[in-house]
Amino acid sequence: MCELLAMSANVPTDICFSFTGFSPRGGKTGPHRDGFGICFYEHGGMREFKDYLPSCQSPIAKFLQDYPIRSKNIVCHIRQANVGDVNLQNTHPFHRELCGKTWTFAHNGQMPIESVPEPTHYQPVGTTDSEKIFCWILSELRNEYRCGTAIAKVSAFLLTLCNHLNSLGVSNIILSDGEDIFTFCSTKLSWITRKAPFGEAHLRDCDVSLDFAAVTNETDIATVIATEPLTDNEKWETMKSGEGRMFRDGLCVWRDYGPEVIHKKRDECCKSA
Amino acid sequence: MCELLAMSANVPTDICFSFTGFSPRGGKTGPHRDGFGICFYEHGGMREFKDYLPSCQSPIAKFLQDYPIRSKNIVCHIRQANVGDVNLQNTHPFHRELCGKTWTFAHNGQMPIESVPEPTHYQPVGTTDSEKIFCWILSELRNEYRCGTAIAKVSAFLLTLCNHLNSLGVSNIILSDGEDIFTFCSTKLSWITRKAPFGEAHLRDCDVSLDFAAVTNETDIATVIATEPLTDNEKWETMKSGEGRMFRDGLCVWRDYGPEVIHKKRDECCKSA
């Protein structure tokens, strides 16, 4: 399995705490040592940091643990390669421009690349099934909707596309246009919303705690989405197979369900993306 | 004026020396304090580092001066804002995918944004004339050529587009698909090719020298392109207005000229992008 991490917040918020717990899974507490990427939307723009080195060793990942970048929408991925070599072109997240917005996609799953429908508009740069899936989703959006349609309005359409992918193989998805974060659970995805009254959280993957009450304002709201819960003393919500959710300003603003799919070779399928 | 920097090399080469001389121009030895961006093509992929902070102060720029990333094609920009606010969406370089390649664009110049032809295919995310120019150039390429056409073969077409832009205002350009680097001089652009026998170079903007003989192999070739020469003890070539050049594997592989344009309000025009 590779792993996904995202954050939606109502005020620019850094992800240093979560990233400190997430990055060891890239080669130390987890096997996802084939590169990482993290992108931050800020002021309508986006910047990203990527490495083909394991996040547990990468000097860039270390830099980011200590350098707080505040953003309302963050998407992150650590990779355990299956389809596609270990290199930057196959390192998630992927990006494309649609309607003057930079869209970002991170994926965890696997399906035969030839089973992914051909994208009509965007082309993959690398060789992963994941990037082809992204190009197909965005091509379908471009073909189906005019610019200016809010992502929240296309949620049901995205869910239909994701459920089709889910019938082809494992396909957990995080997709953002910088304002909303769409999530789809094929086999494994959890989330937690933190708001007042804030408490203390303790990471699963390293002995680090943070008292959120000391670093937040009372009106702050942030949701963290991850393949596996990052803390061991908080209650995370578990999404079910076929479930889609949309997060904006730290809150879940939409959810719906498609048919549940039980992937028989779940463990095998998940060593991907 | 903002300033441009690029490198083409025949083997993956770091740009730490040039970047050490270039980044002080972002707020210390030069006025281009409105953000910077640098992108590295590696193994068919690309990664980029951006900040809206001045490159002379940015912790990310400092990190990069000390962290050698080896690449055959690098594009960098420091910004002095004129059109468009100081934020990440207006920070160069810009990127779009065309034919399964990530194209990168950095620009120095200014023209009335409404005079830039409307792009048919790509849309700007930010509000600069520069990004609109990029979207127009890439749209025209997409409309004119099939995928698979080498960038070297479209050089003459690019030169025609750039000369049209040069008639509208100041427009110095660096454009790359990750294999070739196309450069166009509207008012100011220099370059130097370093190959054996290598010598010692001394930066203009800070008292730092490097003996290239000590850090290269005999077959290494690298060309550095910059708005202003970065060293004070080497001979840089100066491009003339209307001149286009294509660099690949460290060497200039194509050049041609359009009509020379004298921009009357040159100093005023150049406070841009």
Side-chain angles (χ1 to χ4, degrees):
Chain A
M1 279 201 299
C2 51
E3 293 202 19
L4 307 171
L5 169 65
M7 191 195 74
S8 166
N10 68 339
V11 292
T13 304
D14 78 68
I15 199 168
C16 290
F17 176 69
S18 294
F19 189 67
T20 296
F22 189 61
S23 56
R25 296 182 182 179
K28 190 176 172 190
T29 60
H32 322 286
R33 54 181 304 110
D34 299 323
F36 84 98
I38 182 166
C39 93
F40 302 86
Y41 284 97
E42 299 166 82
H43 312 294
M46 189 273 294
R47 61 177 152 183
E48 186 193 60
F49 299 82
K50 266 188 181 176
D51 209 338
Y52 52 85
L53 296 174
S55 54
C56 75
Q57 296 170 358
S58 162
I60 297 169
K62 177 72 180 70
F63 173 82
L64 292 170
Q65 285 178 32
D66 301 330
Y67 183 62
I69 295 179
R70 293 183 177 82
S71 163
K72 289 175 66 180
N73 290 288
I74 299 172
V75 178
C76 180
H77 185 273
I78 49 176
R79 181 168 184 238
Q80 185 180 25
N82 190 328
V83 177
D85 294 339
V86 177
N87 56 33
L88 285 181
Q89 67 175 331
N90 291 334
T91 305
H92 309 218
F94 303 107
H95 309 282
R96 293 291 186 283
E97 177 259 309
L98 169 62
C99 294
K101 289 182 174 183
T102 304
W103 291 63
T104 295
F105 181 81
H107 183 245
N108 152 231
Q110 187 187 358
M111 63 188 65
I113 196 163
E114 61 277 8
S115 72
V116 180
E118 288 302 317
T120 56
H121 192 82
Y122 301 92
Q123 286 187 35
V125 173
T127 53
T128 61
D129 50 351
S130 303
E131 192 186 8
K132 188 178 177 190
I133 289 168
F134 176 42
C135 290
W136 175 69
I137 290 175
L138 226 57
S139 294
E140 294 302 296
L141 271 182
R142 188 164 183 142
N143 293 335
E144 192 75 13
Y145 292 99
R146 288 187 182 181
C147 292
T149 309
I151 191 174
K153 292 189 180 169
V154 300
S155 307
F157 182 68
L158 286 173
L159 184 62
T160 304
L161 299 181
C162 290
N163 274 301
H164 176 62
L165 293 167
N166 203 21
S167 72
L168 304 174
V170 172
S171 187
N172 299 288
I173 283 172
I174 292 179
L175 174 70
S176 179
D177 68 345
E179 292 179 50
D180 297 85
I181 294 180
F182 175 83
T183 60
F184 177 77
C185 176
S186 170
T187 54
K188 199 182 280 191
L189 211 50
S190 297
W191 59 282
I192 186 170
T193 298
R194 297 190 182 107
K195 55 186 179 180
F198 290 99
E200 186 173 281
H202 179 266
L203 292 174
R204 266 193 186 187
D205 294 75
C206 47
D207 188 17
V208 175
S209 296
L210 179 66
D211 178 9
F212 281 102
V215 294
T216 51
N217 293 312
E218 201 167 290
T219 53
D220 291 358
I221 303 172
T223 290
V224 175
I225 303 129
T227 299
E228 297 268 10
L230 290 164
T231 58
D232 54 17
N233 65 336
E234 298 178 296
K235 182 170 165 33
W236 289 64
E237 307 288 336
T238 305
M239 290 175 69
K240 68 176 191 179
S241 176
E243 182 181 347
R245 283 182 182 264
M246 186 75 77
F247 295 91
R248 175 182 276 220
D249 293 333
L251 292 172
C252 179
V253 293
W254 175 91
R255 65 170 172 167
D256 204 350
Y257 307 89
E260 186 172 6
V261 175
I262 306 298
H263 291 280
K264 287 180 185 169
K265 295 183 179 177
R266 174 165 164 165
D267 290 337
E268 198 175 299
C269 284
C270 290
K271 288 181 190 163
S272 173
Chain B
M1 281 202 296
C2 50
E3 293 203 19
L4 307 172
L5 169 65
M7 190 195 74
S8 166
N10 68 339
V11 292
T13 303
D14 78 68
I15 200 169
C16 290
F17 176 69
S18 295
F19 189 67
T20 297
F22 189 62
S23 56
R25 297 181 183 181
K28 190 176 172 189
T29 60
H32 322 286
R33 54 181 304 110
D34 299 323
F36 84 98
I38 182 166
C39 94
F40 301 86
Y41 283 96
E42 298 165 82
H43 311 294
M46 189 273 293
R47 60 178 154 183
E48 186 193 61
F49 299 83
K50 267 188 180 175
D51 209 338
Y52 52 83
L53 296 174
S55 55
C56 76
Q57 295 171 358
S58 161
I60 297 170
K62 177 72 179 70
F63 172 82
L64 291 170
Q65 285 177 33
D66 301 330
Y67 184 61
I69 294 178
R70 293 183 176 81
S71 164
K72 290 176 65 180
N73 290 287
I74 299 171
V75 177
C76 180
H77 185 273
I78 49 177
R79 181 169 183 239
Q80 185 180 24
N82 190 327
V83 177
D85 294 340
V86 178
N87 56 34
L88 284 181
Q89 66 176 332
N90 290 335
T91 305
H92 308 217
F94 303 107
H95 309 281
R96 292 292 185 283
E97 177 260 308
L98 169 62
C99 293
K101 289 182 175 184
T102 304
W103 291 63
T104 295
F105 181 80
H107 183 246
N108 152 232
Q110 187 185 358
M111 63 190 63
I113 196 164
E114 61 277 9
S115 72
V116 180
E118 289 301 318
T120 56
H121 191 82
Y122 301 92
Q123 286 187 35
V125 174
T127 54
T128 61
D129 49 352
S130 304
E131 192 187 8
K132 188 179 177 190
I133 289 168
F134 176 42
C135 290
W136 175 69
I137 290 176
L138 225 56
S139 293
E140 294 303 297
L141 270 183
R142 189 165 182 139
N143 293 336
E144 192 75 14
Y145 291 99
R146 287 189 182 179
C147 292
T149 309
I151 191 174
K153 292 189 179 167
V154 302
S155 307
F157 182 68
L158 287 172
L159 184 62
T160 305
L161 300 181
C162 289
N163 275 301
H164 176 63
L165 294 166
N166 203 21
S167 71
L168 304 174
V170 173
S171 187
N172 299 289
I173 283 172
I174 292 179
L175 174 70
S176 179
D177 68 345
E179 291 177 52
D180 296 86
I181 293 181
F182 174 83
T183 61
F184 178 77
C185 176
S186 170
T187 54
K188 200 181 279 191
L189 211 49
S190 296
W191 58 281
I192 186 170
T193 298
R194 296 191 183 107
K195 54 186 177 178
F198 292 99
E200 185 173 281
H202 179 265
L203 293 174
R204 265 192 187 187
D205 294 75
C206 47
D207 188 17
V208 174
S209 295
L210 180 65
D211 179 7
F212 281 102
V215 294
T216 51
N217 293 313
E218 202 167 289
T219 54
D220 291 359
I221 302 172
T223 290
V224 175
I225 304 128
T227 298
E228 298 266 11
L230 290 164
T231 57
D232 54 17
N233 64 337
E234 298 178 297
K235 181 168 165 38
W236 289 65
E237 306 289 334
T238 306
M239 290 175 69
K240 68 176 191 179
S241 177
E243 182 181 348
R245 283 183 182 263
M246 186 76 76
F247 296 91
R248 174 182 275 220
D249 292 333
L251 291 173
C252 179
V253 292
W254 175 91
R255 65 170 173 168
D256 204 352
Y257 307 90
E260 185 173 6
V261 176
I262 306 300
H263 291 280
K264 289 180 184 170
K265 294 184 178 175
R266 178 166 162 164
D267 289 340
E268 198 175 301
C269 283
C270 290
K271 288 181 190 165
S272 174

